Amino acid sequence: MSTSSQRALKALLSCLFVAFFSQWVLPTAPVTGQTTLVAVKELTLTIDAPDEVLEWGETAAVMLVVANPGQELVEGVALHLPRGRGLLWEGQAEAGNGPWLELGDLAAGESRTVEGQLRVVGVSRIGRLRLHVGLHGRDMQPVREKIVVRTPQPARETTDVPAAGGEAR
């Protein structure tokens, strides 16, 4: 078979392949002049937490601002305030997963402020305690932010080990 015959056969097979698959395999949709836009719903969570070092048993004010910067109403907004490792919301039981605060619907441009007290009930070897706060709304991706509270680092225990020369350091 000559080169020109091979090219012609290849072109014919390509056309048949495209015709077959476009008719029987690939679904076709009517083309219209309309465009559908899908609005993305979003919420933001801003946290104002203490910067000072807190001792065991101390409390500090925390302010959470939930805002809807989008163009759409976000329905069923709820804030999850879980129990953190070494941190509790004031009035929260030491056991359990933490309360959900129902904030209702948030219109475009609207914001709500939630204030609470965090109490240090644990210690950290690294001098920081963390707590993750969750924000949820209908038909949107959840938002998760963390609160970090600085605590004193426990003193490291030192043991006097005799040096090679026989004296303790």
Side-chain angles (χ1 to χ4, degrees), residues 94-145:
E94 300 241 1
N97 198 17
W100 282 87
L101 295 179
E102 301 292 333
L103 301 179
D105 300 341
L106 245 62
E110 188 178 1
S111 67
R112 302 245 170 84
T113 301
V114 175
E115 295 180 7
Q117 295 283 325
L118 272 180
R119 184 167 37 104
V120 176
V121 295
V123 294
S124 168
R125 290 191 307 255
I126 59 172
R128 288 187 311 270
L129 295 171
R130 284 185 284 270
L131 171 68
H132 292 275
V133 177
L135 180 61
H136 303 267
R138 194 170 298 130
D139 299 328
M140 61 159 283
Q141 290 293 322
V143 176
R144 213 174 126 119
E145 294 290 338

Side-chain angles (χ1 to χ4, degrees), residues 157-169:
E157 293 182 24
T158 58
T159 53
D160 290 336
V161 179
E167 292 183 32
R169 292 188 211 184

Side-chain angles (χ1 to χ4, degrees), residues 8-25:
L9 182 59
K10 199 182 236 184
L12 177 63
L13 289 173
S14 293
C15 288
L16 288 172
F17 179 80
V18 169
F20 174 76
F21 278 101
S22 65
Q23 184 175 3
W24 299 105
V25 177

